[in-house]
Amino acid sequence: MEHGVAHEAFDAGEARYELVVSVDARRSGQYNDAEKPRMRQRIYRVLESALAQAGVVRDAVHMEDRGDGVLMSVPGRIAVSRLLGLWMVEVHENLREENGSLLVPLGLRVAMHVGPVRHDSRGISGRAVDLTCRLADSSVARELLDRERADLVLAVSDSLYADVVQAGGKFIDPARFAPARLALKEGAVTAWLHLPGRPAPDTGALGPEEPGDGGVAGTGGVPGAGGGTAVSSAAPPLGAVDGGDADGEGVDDEGFGDGFDDEDGDASVRYAAQGDLSVHQHNVYQQPVHIGRVTGAGPRKD
C-alpha cells in the first residue's frame, strides 16, 4: 500500500477516531538543498526508531511526508498513552543522540490530537488533522522551543490532555504540561505544552495569543500611547503568526511578516506603526545594547 498502512479499507466517507501526530522541523527554510535530504533522513530515523523501541509496529502507522516534517495517524487499537509516553521518551533520546554530532541541532515540534480522520488513497484529512497541524506550527510552540533552547516540544489538544494526560501513567506526568491559549483560524483553543525531560514550561511568559484580522493568531497588541508603536485595525498584532494550513501553507519558519517573505515569497504578516517600530528575534548580544531613541536630557539607559 502506498502509505504503508494496513487499514481495512479506504472510504473517504467513513471517519475513524485516531491519534493524529504532526511533526515539524525547526527553521527548515535555513537548510540548503544539500542539507535538506540529510535533515529529512534524521527526522525519519528518529521517529521510526522510536516506534520500534516503543513496540509499535511501523506498518500499523500511517505516515505522510511533508517535506520538512511528517504527518502520522495511529489507529485506535494502539493505546494513545503508548505514543504520549514511551514513544515521546524514545523520540527525545533519539533526537539527543542525533544532535550529539551536529553543529546546528535538529529541533522538532510535535503535536497530538485525537479525532475523526478520513483516509483515502492519497492520505488523511479532517478537522482533527487541521487542528494537529496548527498546534505544531503555532507561534507558542515555535517561541517556546527557541526561548528554552530545547530540541523538542510537544503540544497536545485540550481534549487529549483531559482524556489521557491528566490521568497520568507510565512516562506521562501531567504536572510537566502547561496550558497556553492559541487563536487559530477556526477560533481560540487551549493547548498544553511539554518539554520532554524538563519541568512544566512557563507559558505565561510567552503572553496569551489574541485573534487578529482574518483569523490570524498573534501574541497580543502593542500599546500606542505616547507616540510609540501602534497597531492599525487593518493589520494583525505585532508578532502575529498564523498556525498555517495542514497542507503546509502559512508563514515562514520565523514568523516574519512585512519585509520577510517565506520560501514562496509570500509575506503573511504585516506591521503598521506610528512612530518607532523595532522588531528583534533570536538575537544574541555580547555587550550592553541600547535599542531605540534617547529622549529628554536624562542619562541614556542601556
Side-chain angles (χ1 to χ4, degrees):
M1 193 168 292
E2 181 180 355
H3 295 283
V5 181
H7 282 278
E8 292 77 4
F10 282 125
D11 184 353
E14 181 181 357
R16 300 180 177 90
Y17 270 77
E18 298 185 341
L19 172 67
V20 183
V21 183
S22 178
V23 182
D24 284 343
R26 172 175 52 198
R27 288 195 289 279
S28 60
Q30 294 185 0
Y31 290 87
N32 61 38
D33 287 350
E35 295 169 335
K36 280 189 176 180
R38 292 191 289 270
M39 175 200 73
R40 287 160 47 79
Q41 289 174 359
R42 293 187 184 102
I43 293 175
Y44 278 96
R45 190 158 54 236
V46 165
L47 301 181
E48 292 181 336
S49 295
L51 286 175
Q53 292 157 345
V56 178
V57 178
R58 167 64 182 85
D59 288 343
V61 178
H62 171 88
M63 298 185 77
E64 288 183 34
D65 184 73
R66 291 303 177 102
D68 60 351
V70 179
L71 178 64
M72 305 166 52
S73 69
V74 184
R77 66 178 179 270
I78 299 175
V80 173
S81 58
R82 178 71 61 91
L83 279 296
L84 268 170
L86 182 56
W87 183 70
M88 281 303 302
V89 170
E90 298 296 351
V91 167
H92 184 217
E93 290 301 315
N94 292 345
L95 187 59
R96 289 177 58 189
E97 184 175 348
E98 287 285 341
N99 286 337
S101 59
L102 298 179
L103 293 177
V104 179
L106 174 65
L108 297 179
R109 301 186 306 274
V110 180
M112 296 187 187
H113 172 59
V114 172
V117 177
R118 287 177 168 83
H119 289 258
D120 57 37
S121 60
R122 298 182 183 275
I124 59 176
S125 62
R127 296 180 66 180
V129 176
D130 295 339
L131 173 59
T132 309
C133 292
R134 295 192 195 285
L135 293 182
D137 199 37
S138 67
S139 59
V140 168
R142 293 171 180 270
E143 185 179 344
L144 185 61
L145 196 66
D146 287 339
R147 189 196 70 184
E148 299 297 327
R149 299 184 179 182
D151 295 336
L152 180 63
V153 61
L154 170 64
V156 303
S157 65
D158 192 43
S159 60
L160 182 56
Y161 178 87
D163 293 342
V164 181
V165 176
Q166 196 167 33
K170 191 172 184 179
F171 304 115
I172 301 176
D173 183 358
R176 292 175 179 258
F177 287 73
R181 289 293 286 174
L182 282 67
L184 307 182
K185 289 183 178 180
E186 297 81 1
V189 301
T190 296
W192 292 80
L193 284 299
H194 170 56
L195 298 171
R198 304 192 187 191
D202 181 9
T203 53
L206 299 173
E209 292 196 341
E210 298 291 344
D213 290 274
V216 178
T219 55
V222 178
T229 303
V231 180
S232 75
S233 60
L238 181 64
V241 179
D242 181 12
D245 291 319
D247 58 7
E249 295 180 357
V251 300
D252 69 339
D253 284 324
E254 295 302 321
F256 289 138
D258 200 10
F260 298 91
D261 294 348
D262 61 16
E263 293 182 54
D264 297 325
D266 297 323
S268 3
V269 181
R270 297 183 181 277
Y271 304 135
Q274 298 174 353
D276 297 329
L277 171 65
S278 181
V279 179
H280 305 267
Q281 295 201 17
H282 314 303
N283 298 320
V284 177
Y285 302 107
Q286 303 297 336
Q287 298 292 334
V289 174
H290 173 77
I291 299 174
R293 295 185 301 171
V294 177
T295 59
R300 191 182 86 176
K301 295 184 177 179
D302 288 327

